[in-house]
Amino acid sequence: MKSYFEIFFLSVRSDYGGKGLGKQLVERSLQVAKEMGFGVVKSDLGSTFSRKICEKCGFEPVFEIRYADEFPLYDKMDESAKQLHPTCTTMLKRI
């Protein structure tokens, strides 16, 4: 088994949100990883949307930091951004 496959960045333009495109991207990435011989897929997720998508696809959180605890400039962020990006979570899925 190779070390791991990483989904580095998951984003869908806001006007395409809610159509299942993010889930399709993750599912296709899982398929590619499996075809390439990887046994684990990893992703570091900074938004609640990305985390929910990966949870629906069977990923499990293994590490999490709260931005408010680690980044001094977090307090200067817009409140809506804070709600969308409260943590950075590392998630894994065995395939």
Side-chain angles (χ1 to χ4, degrees):
M1 178 179 81
K2 297 179 182 180
S3 57
Y4 64 87
F5 183 95
E6 183 166 7
I7 298 174
F8 183 70
F9 192 77
L10 175 62
S11 181
V12 174
R13 212 168 78 179
S14 61
D15 53 329
Y16 287 94
K19 297 177 176 19
L21 296 175
K23 186 175 180 195
Q24 289 178 32
L25 288 169
V26 171
E27 288 172 342
R28 179 64 179 128
S29 296
L30 293 170
Q31 183 181 4
V32 168
K34 190 171 187 176
E35 290 170 1
M36 293 179 68
F38 289 92
V40 175
V41 178
K42 171 191 174 277
S43 191
D44 296 316
L45 306 161
S47 81
T48 54
F49 293 122
S50 299
R51 181 178 174 146
K52 286 178 185 177
I53 290 168
C54 285
E55 286 172 343
K56 287 179 184 178
C57 291
F59 283 73
E60 295 183 21
V62 295
F63 181 76
E64 181 173 274
I65 60 169
R66 289 176 17 93
Y67 287 124
D69 295 340
E70 301 296 329
F71 300 102
L73 296 178
Y74 185 82
D75 290 337
K76 297 185 188 303
M77 287 177 59
D78 179 81
E79 286 303 315
S80 63
K82 288 180 185 179
Q83 289 178 357
L84 294 175
H85 305 282
T87 64
C88 181
T89 306
T90 298
M91 299 184 83
L92 298 177
K93 177 178 172 101
R94 293 194 184 280
I95 54 174

